[in-house]
Structure formats: C-alpha cells, structure tokens
C-alpha cells in the first residue's frame, strides 16, 4: 500500500514536471503541441496522399515541411485549421497555399544548399521559410505592403536569418540581387515575366503557375540551359491568386 502511494506520488510529480512548459520556442520541436498535426499533414497530404495526387517523397522537402510551424503563418482565428489540406486566407484577398502545393513546388525546384532563390509573392512568408532550410539565401518580393511587412517581422521573430523581404512589384524580380539559381512564383502570371527570365542563371530553373485569373492555370517548370533555348514544361492544373501589376 505504502509503495503504491509512493509510486502515485512520483507519477504526480513527474506529470507536473513534464506538463510545465519550459522555454518553448516554435523551433523547439519537442515542446511544440502542433508537432503531431504537422507530421500528420506531411504523411497524409504529401508523402502518402490520396490516389489522385503524386506523392512528394523528397526527404529534404519533407523534413522542412515537418519543421516549419505553419500555424504561426496564418491569422490567429485560423490557427486550428492551419494544418488542413487547403489554402487559407491571410487578408488583403490573398492566401497561404495548400501544404501539398508548397511541397510540390519546392520539390520541382530541385534546390541545392548553395543556391540563391528568388520568390515572387511573399504572402505569409511560409514558402520562404520552407526554402530557408534548404538553400543559402532566399530573396522574396511582395507587392502588398502590409503583408510584406508582416511577413518580414514574423520571419525575423522566428529567427529565419537568410530570408530577405522586399516590398515591390515582383514582375521585375529583384535586379540588384540577380542572378538567381532558382525562381519560384507563387501567384499566377498570364505569361512568364521576361525580367524573371533574364534574372535566372544559365542552368537555372523557375517554377511558376501560368494562366489567367479565370482560365486554367498550369504549374510550369521553366529551364534556362547553359546554351540554347529556354524550355517550358506544364504539369498539374492549379489555382493561384493573380500576379498583379501596379
Ligand atoms: N507564397 C505565399 C503565398 C502567396 S499568395 C505564402 O507562402 O504564404 C500570392 C502573393 O503574391 C500575395 O501575397 C500577393 O499579394 C502577391 N503578389 C501578387 N502580385 C504580385 C507582384 N506583382 N509582385 C509581388 N507579389 C505579388
């Protein structure tokens, strides 16, 4: 009886010890209560998705998707839906993309750790945060000033030091930082912007949704070879907010 009482007392002490949150930061994976949801998101939506989708099984991409705290990139009222299989509104008529699309585009880019990458359409900063772990530097341009500022603050607060945010029209890329090894456009363009083609390094690759606001858009991979003509390859139909011009 006495031993049982002692064991229960110990259990109580241990459960209190483990229940008290320590110095929990979003990067402290073990203390993050959203970790299970995030791992579940990766497995069910990306790694082993429903039959109509091609799985993304690139380990570097999957671990980045497991690490970035997506719930800190959505509006507070949507936090419970952050790991759902859908895009979410982030204000100003814009959206954070569906997790599967973020993973797919990241895989399509075939990034390497020494790469410098340009993103057009910072939005919440989530896609930039995913790339941050996989490449050397991320340059991201957002046209809606309050969204760009919010994303820059958020990324700084979360400790992403290799992401640089600029407010401006991403149609024109980021001339002073060009050329880039990779370019990712997360809003839909009717045609691939020529400044972006110019700012892509020979041997570089771009992933961009191409199509109008009310027509079908296709995720398109653009490759600029060391020599010869640029090639474009269409893949799946997608739905992105339009690339707007000032
Ligand atoms: N990558 C974002 C989602 C992008 S939504 C994320 O991870 O959350 C598309 C974004 O592109 C919107 O924020 C929109 O304001 C921005 N955008 C649209 N046209 C643009 C342009 N010409 N230049 C830069 N950003 C643009």
């Amino acid at each position: 009886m006495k031993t049982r009482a002692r064991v229960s007392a110990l259990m109580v002490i241990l459960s209190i010890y483990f229940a008290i949150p320590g110095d929990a930061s979003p990067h402290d994976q073990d203390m993050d209560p959203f970790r299970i949801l995030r791992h579940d998101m990766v497995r069910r939506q990306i790694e082993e998705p429903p039959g109509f989708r091609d799985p993304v099984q690139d380990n570097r991409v999957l671990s980045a998707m497991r690490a970035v705290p997506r719930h800190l990139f959505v509006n507070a009222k949507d936090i419970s839906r952050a790991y759902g299989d859908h895009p979410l509104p982030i204000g100003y008529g814009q959206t954070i993309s569906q997790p599967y699309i973020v993973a797919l585009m990241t895989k399509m880019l075939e990034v390497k750790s020494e790469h410098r990458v340009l993103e057009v359409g910072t939005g919440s900063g989530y896609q930039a945060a995913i790339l941050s772990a996989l490449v050397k530097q991320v340059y991201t341009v957002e046209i809606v000033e309050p969204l760009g500022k919010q994303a820059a603050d958020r990324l700084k607060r979360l400790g992403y030091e290799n992401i640089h945010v600029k407010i401006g029209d991403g149609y024109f890329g980021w001339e002073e930082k060009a050329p880039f090894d990779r370019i990712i456009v997360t809003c839909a363009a009717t045609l691939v912007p020529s400044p972006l083609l110019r700012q892509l390094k020979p041997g570089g690759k771009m992933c961009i949704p191409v199509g109008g606001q009310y027509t079908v858009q296709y995720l398109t991979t653009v490759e600029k070879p060391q020599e010869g003509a640029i090639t474009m390859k269409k893949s799946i139909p997608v739905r992105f907010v339009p690339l707007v011009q000032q």
Side-chain angles (χ1 to χ4, degrees), residues 3-60:
T3 322
R4 265 169 89 185
R6 258 194 239 129
V7 170
S8 341
L10 183 65
M11 294 297 281
V12 170
I13 291 166
L14 279 176
S15 55
I16 292 171
Y17 177 81
F18 283 112
I20 294 173
D23 183 17
S25 78
H27 293 295
D28 191 344
Q29 296 286 303
D30 294 334
M31 299 302 287
D32 182 352
F34 288 89
R35 189 169 177 264
I36 294 173
L37 288 178
R38 200 157 51 239
H39 280 236
D40 208 50
M41 166 193 91
V42 170
R43 194 171 52 79
R44 287 170 194 260
Q45 301 173 30
I46 301 169
E47 201 177 0
E48 300 164 15
F52 57 90
R53 275 185 207 166
D54 278 345
V56 174
Q57 285 168 339
D58 178 318
N59 280 330
R60 289 181 74 227

Side-chain angles (χ1 to χ4, degrees), residues 105 118-120 183-187 196 206-209 240 243:
M105 289 180 83
L118 172 70
E119 179 191 28
V120 175
I183 298 181
I184 178 167
V185 182
T186 60
C187 38
L196 299 186
M206 180 182 341
C207 187
I208 176 171
F240 275 81
L243 181 141

Side-chain angles (χ1 to χ4, degrees), residues 94-95 119 121-124 127 142-144 169-170 186 241 243-244:
Q94 309 303 328
T95 53
E119 179 191 28
T122 316
S124 66
Q127 173 74 70
E142 172 56 55
I143 203 165
V144 177
D169 186 348
T186 60
V241 295
L243 181 141
V244 296

